[in-house]
């Protein structure tokens, strides 16, 4: 049986033995292992059923540890690091030979971040190696934001889930690369586009809907519940009446909807607070996916700030 525990020393011990555990971060939980141990890293891939062409993010506790793993650190990357680390920012930087190819899927760049979670920062300080950690969900499924979500996916398959409570942000880190003239956002995330632009000025948003995306993990279909999810502008009685489905789960931004066919309606926020909506998003999708509804109807949220990221995730969750 998988142990759910707050014991950081135990977590460090298991990682030192080159095993995989789940760890909390401020964004989502990760499946973590020593970046230098090929077997442990391969186990992450097999647990997630993740294609080997899809590289992993390296997690460290301090900026000097980042510097050891890269061959250059562009000025704009430094500005973002200063503004947002520790925090939900992942930088794509040229990798030093120290970074094994099994982390970067043979790419010459490595994705790195310093997470902002007390437990995991403490853990990272106790061990002598960085941690590779993709989100702790099977390939294409909804990311976990509680220890319980991790347990639902990986019970008996990993020794330990380090419990750090519910993730504060609830959506993955924002990924930025610097290969081009302007910083490029490869994955929308917990830090909004405006917040990135406020620090580094002109920024390109990569259109990651292609079949072979630049950040190889950004498939059009991703973050999916098992229940068919349909994304709409607004859930109305007229729309509900057109559906053959009898048991409907509804996910709205802020309004409560009542209808005889709606078996459960969850509001992402009651106060139109986009940060609260982001924090609740995956957790509510997990809930609605577990009530045997015929369909999940989800409403788009306002297209500003972190709302743009929420809509991106809902769109990927709805992709057929
Ligand atoms: O918030 C997060 O970033 C979470 C927590 C656990 O830190 N981690 C996470 O990892 O979301 P993952 O593996 O689920 O998503 C990482 C994304 C993937 O789309 C991957 O393709 C991309 O980052 N990526 C990793 N290394 C890359 C690289 N060298 N170049 C381009 N994209 C990269
Ligand atoms: Mg992921």
């Amino acid at each position: 049986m998988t142990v759910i525990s707050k014991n950081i020393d135990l977590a460090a011990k298991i990682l030192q033995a080159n095993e995989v555990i789940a760890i909390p971060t401020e964004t989502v939980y990760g499946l973590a292992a020593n970046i230098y141990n090929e077997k442990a890293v391969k186990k992450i891939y097999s647990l997630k059923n993740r294609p080997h062409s899809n590289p992993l993010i390296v997690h460290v506790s301090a900026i000097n540890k980042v510097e050891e793993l890269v061959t250059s650190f562009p000025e704009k990357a430094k500005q973002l690091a200063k503004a947002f680390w520790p925090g939900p920012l992942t930088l794509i930087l040229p990798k030093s030979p120290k970074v094994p190819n099994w982390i970067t899927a043979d790419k010459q760049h490595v994705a790195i971040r310093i997470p902002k979670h007390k437990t995991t920062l403490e853990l990272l300080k106790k061990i002598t190696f960085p941690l590779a950690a993709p989100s702790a969900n099977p390939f294409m499924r909804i990311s976990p934001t509680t220890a319980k979500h991790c347990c639902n996916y990986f019970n008996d398959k990993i020794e330990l889930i380090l419990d750090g409570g519910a993730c504060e942000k609830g959506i993955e880190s924002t990924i930025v690369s610097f290969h081009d003239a302007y910083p490029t956002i490869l994955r929308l995330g917990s830090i909004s586009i405006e917040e990135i632009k406020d620090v580094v000025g002109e920024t390109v948003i990569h259109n990651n809907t292609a079949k072979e995306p630049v950040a190889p993990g950004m498939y059009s279909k991703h973050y999916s519940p098992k229940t068919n999810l349909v994304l709409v502008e607004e859930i109305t009685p007229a729309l509900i009446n057109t559906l053959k489905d009898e048991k409907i789960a509804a996910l709205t931004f802020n309004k409560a909807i009542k209808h005889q066919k709606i078996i459960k309606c969850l509001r992402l926020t009651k106060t139109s607070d986009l940060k609260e909506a982001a924090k609740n998003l995956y957790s509510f999708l997990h809930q609605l996916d577990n009530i045997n509804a015929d369909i999940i109807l989800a409403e788009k949220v306002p297209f500003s700030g972190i709302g743009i990221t929420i809509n991106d995730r809902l769109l990927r969750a709805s992709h057929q």
Side-chain angles (χ1 to χ4, degrees):
M1 256 240 306
T2 302
V3 174
I4 300 181
S5 156
K6 294 189 185 345
N7 189 333
I8 299 173
D9 287 322
L10 176 64
K13 204 173 133 206
I14 298 173
L15 288 168
Q16 263 142 14
N18 293 319
E19 277 303 328
V20 176
I21 65 166
I23 57 163
T25 82
E26 78 281 32
T27 58
V28 300
Y29 275 72
L31 264 189
N34 175 358
I35 67 162
Y36 299 119
N37 188 269
E38 184 174 11
K39 209 170 129 230
V41 173
K42 289 227 161 107
K43 186 163 176 201
I44 293 180
Y45 279 93
S46 66
L47 281 166
K48 277 182 67 81
N49 198 16
R50 179 180 176 116
H52 284 272
S53 56
N54 191 355
L56 305 177
I57 298 177
V58 172
H59 296 66
V60 295
S61 60
I63 195 107
N64 62 318
K65 304 234 158 88
V66 175
E67 283 158 358
E68 289 168 16
L69 299 173
V70 303
T71 55
S72 76
F73 207 142
E75 194 46 43
K76 294 210 163 171
K78 278 193 182 143
Q79 289 167 3
L80 287 175
K82 193 158 173 248
F84 298 113
W85 275 350
L89 168 78
T90 294
L91 299 177
I92 306 288
L93 299 172
K95 83 174 200 71
S96 90
K98 272 186 87 167
V99 179
N101 288 329
W102 55 73
I103 295 298
T104 61
D106 293 324
K107 287 174 178 290
Q108 288 315 301
H109 289 78
V110 59
I112 303 196
R113 82 180 192 99
I114 304 177
K116 189 177 181 180
H117 192 292
K118 210 168 144 262
T119 305
T120 289
L121 280 173
E122 214 174 295
L123 171 67
L124 283 165
K125 283 176 194 153
K126 279 192 190 228
I127 53 184
T128 54
F129 44 83
L131 290 177
S135 51
N137 51 283
F139 185 53
M140 300 286 190
R141 299 287 302 282
I142 308 165
S143 300
T145 57
T146 63
K148 178 89 183 357
H149 296 157
C150 301
C151 192
N152 291 344
Y153 285 141
F154 298 111
N155 191 24
D156 287 339
K157 295 190 175 130
I158 54 178
E159 256 178 74
L160 179 80
I161 298 166
L162 185 58
D163 191 354
C167 300
E168 183 205 332
K169 300 287 181 191
I171 289 191
E172 292 85 350
S173 60
T174 302
I175 304 183
V176 188
S177 77
F178 304 88
H179 314 330
D180 301 310
Y182 299 110
T184 304
I185 296 179
L186 296 185
R187 175 175 74 181
L188 299 175
S190 279
I191 300 171
S192 71
I193 299 167
E194 288 86 359
E195 287 171 306
I196 299 282
K197 284 185 175 167
D198 283 347
V199 176
V200 288
E202 185 142 9
T203 301
V204 175
I205 319 299
H206 192 269
N207 172 12
N208 252 323
T209 49
K211 262 203 166 150
E212 264 307 311
V214 172
M218 294 310 291
Y219 302 88
S220 309
K221 179 180 163 61
H222 204 155
Y223 313 103
S224 289
K226 289 178 292 287
T227 316
N228 182 27
L229 183 145
V230 174
L231 182 61
V232 297
E233 297 295 331
E234 198 187 354
I235 303 173
T236 60
L239 171 80
I240 294 170
N241 290 334
T242 63
L243 298 174
K244 286 199 290 289
D245 306 284
E246 287 304 319
K247 287 187 291 172
I248 298 172
L251 183 67
T252 70
F253 178 52
N254 56 12
K255 66 173 194 252
I257 304 178
K258 286 215 167 84
H259 187 285
Q260 66 190 38
K261 291 215 271 181
I262 292 188
I263 57 170
K264 191 172 182 108
C265 174
L266 292 178
R267 305 153 73 184
L268 287 172
T269 166
K270 289 177 182 139
T271 56
S272 300
D273 175 352
L274 282 166
K275 286 201 168 131
E276 186 190 8
K279 181 174 178 177
N280 286 331
L281 177 69
Y282 291 149
S283 177
F284 285 8
L285 285 175
H286 280 283
Q287 281 188 50
L288 295 179
D289 199 21
N290 286 323
I291 55 170
N292 284 317
D294 300 322
I295 187 172
I296 300 173
L297 275 186
E299 272 183 1
K300 286 184 190 160
V301 307
F303 251 96
S304 69
I306 186 79
I308 298 174
T309 304
I310 297 174
N311 287 329
D312 168 82
R313 297 301 193 272
L314 285 171
L315 183 67
R316 291 174 199 278
S318 73
H319 200 84
Q320 291 298 301

